């Protein structure tokens, strides 16, 4: 794994290991602090915790693991300074779980471990986060953290980036943008928390781009007349401001309109500024 070191720890007192079920019993044998004890059968680790760099979104990393347990699980991360972050709970059952660890500072040593809902600690892993891109431009930070104490911003320079920064301006996630000043507008978190939206405000074609935490583009969809702002609604539909032009009393005017995209792929106009235009009041 380029630019990142990881060091798995062997099974220890706080690690859950698979055991052999006793005949006709709901219990398994497990070694805890060298003593043989009987513990409730909750399952086992199918694939141990792994930490991988997001090559398309340095310096961020992602965690993956697979359990066969009847409890939800999550990843907790800490440094020598204390707790760093905890992921959302993953549903119980058999299968591989993945979660981006967004907010860890670059070039830092961390320890991550799996935690079950009952507090059981399954396995741990020490790792060092990668460095940010070498061509990431210097910047002066202005704004207020609005998401988990982090700031999402487009950063223009010789190589433009969409970036997530800490309140101190430390870069914790990046993805390169096309070299165009009208790309990267109004970045915002996806409602399901799996990545970011940003706008491409070129007039032809204007579009909305979705990128996941691995830095992969998951959606690039044209939006009719899209000009400068948008929002994701609770049901996943998008609403946006569009720039349009029309003739009012024979005179051409350009105005804003609000459009909504439906799940069926239709575009519905919710409001048009020209319909509120009164030549007697607004004509001068």
């Amino acid at each position: 794994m380029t630019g990142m070191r990881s060091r798995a720890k062997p099974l220890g007192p706080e690690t859950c290991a698979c055991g052999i079920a006793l005949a006709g019993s709901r219990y398994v044998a497990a070694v805890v602090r060298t003593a043989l004890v009987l513990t409730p059968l909750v399952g086992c680790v199918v694939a141990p915790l792994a930490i991988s760099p997001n090559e398309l979104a340095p310096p961020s990393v992602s965690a993956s693991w697979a359990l066969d347990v009847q409890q939800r699980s999550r990843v907790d991360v800490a440094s020598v300074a204390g707790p760093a972050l905890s992921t959302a709970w993953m549903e119980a059952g058999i299968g591989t779980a993945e979660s981006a660890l967004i907010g860890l500072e670059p070039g830092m040593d961390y320890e991550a471990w799996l935690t079950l809902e009952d507090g059981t600690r399954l396995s741990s892993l020490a790792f060092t986060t990668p460095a940010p891109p070498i061509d990431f431009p210097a910047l002066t930070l202005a704004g207020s953290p609005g998401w988990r104490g982090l700031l999402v911003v487009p950063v223009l320079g010789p190589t433009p980036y969409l970036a997530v920064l800490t309140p101190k301006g430390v870069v914790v996630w990046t993805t390169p943008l096309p070299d165009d000043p009208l790309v990267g507008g109004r970045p915002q978190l996806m409602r399901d928390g799996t990545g970011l939206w940003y706008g491409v405000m070129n007039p032809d074609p204007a579009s909305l781009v979705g990128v996941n935490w691995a830095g992969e583009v998951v959606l690039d969809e044209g939006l009719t007349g899209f000009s400068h702002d948008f929002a994701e609604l609770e049901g996943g539909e998008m609403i946006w401001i569009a720039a349009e032009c029309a003739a009012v009393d024979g005179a051409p005017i350009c105005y804003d309109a609000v459009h909504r995209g439906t799940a069926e792929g239709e575009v519905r106009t919710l409001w048009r500024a020209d319909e509120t235009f009164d030549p007697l009041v607004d004509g001068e």
Side-chain angles (χ1 to χ4, degrees):
M1 295 183 288
T2 305
M4 194 187 79
R5 304 190 305 277
S6 62
R7 301 171 292 283
K9 291 189 176 181
L11 296 178
E14 295 180 321
T15 301
C16 172
C18 294
I20 301 175
L22 302 179
S25 173
R26 296 183 298 108
Y27 294 88
V28 298
V31 176
V32 180
R33 288 192 173 92
T34 72
L36 183 64
V37 298
L38 296 180
T39 58
L41 176 59
V42 295
C44 63
V45 177
V46 177
L49 176 65
I51 306 294
S52 303
N54 293 324
E55 301 289 355
L56 299 178
S60 68
V61 299
S62 289
S64 63
W65 67 98
L67 303 176
D68 179 6
V69 296
Q70 298 308 309
Q71 296 185 57
R72 295 191 302 173
S73 60
R74 75 181 186 192
V75 175
D76 293 313
V77 182
S79 68
V80 293
L85 62 82
S86 296
T87 68
W89 290 106
M90 298 297 177
E91 292 303 316
I94 302 174
T96 300
E98 296 182 353
S99 183
L101 306 180
I102 306 300
L104 303 180
E105 297 191 9
M108 295 284 289
D109 293 331
Y110 291 96
E111 181 181 10
W113 61 90
L114 296 176
T115 302
L116 297 184
E117 281 186 290
D118 65 2
T120 301
R121 177 169 164 163
L122 297 183
S123 63
S124 63
L125 181 72
F127 65 97
T128 303
T129 49
I134 59 175
D135 60 352
F136 190 84
L139 57 90
T140 299
L141 182 63
S144 300
W147 168 65
R148 282 173 39 181
L150 301 173
L151 181 65
V152 181
V153 293
V155 180
L156 303 181
T159 302
Y161 280 94
L162 185 62
V164 176
L165 313 175
T166 71
K168 297 180 180 179
V170 178
V171 180
V172 296
W173 183 92
T174 67
T175 192
L177 295 172
D179 188 11
D180 190 312
L182 296 179
V183 172
R186 294 289 295 151
Q188 54 189 272
L189 183 69
M190 293 179 178
R191 276 191 173 270
D192 62 7
T194 59
L196 297 175
W197 298 113
Y198 68 86
V200 178
M201 271 71 78
N202 281 322
D204 187 24
S207 64
L208 179 70
V209 178
V211 57
N212 63 20
W213 293 126
E216 302 164 333
V217 174
V218 296
L219 180 72
D220 188 345
E221 183 173 342
L223 297 183
T224 303
F226 178 43
S227 60
H228 61 277
D229 204 358
F230 67 93
E232 182 183 6
L233 304 178
E234 287 189 10
E237 296 178 344
M238 305 302 298
I239 187 171
W240 66 94
I241 296 177
E244 298 183 352
C245 293
V248 177
D249 293 336
I253 65 167
C254 292
Y255 55 90
D256 284 339
V258 177
H259 294 322
R260 176 174 180 170
T262 68
E264 294 75 26
E266 300 176 351
V267 176
R268 297 177 181 173
T269 300
L270 305 181
W271 177 83
R272 289 173 46 167
D274 68 312
E275 294 178 345
T276 64
F277 181 79
D278 185 345
L280 298 178
V281 177
D282 305 311
E284 295 299 328

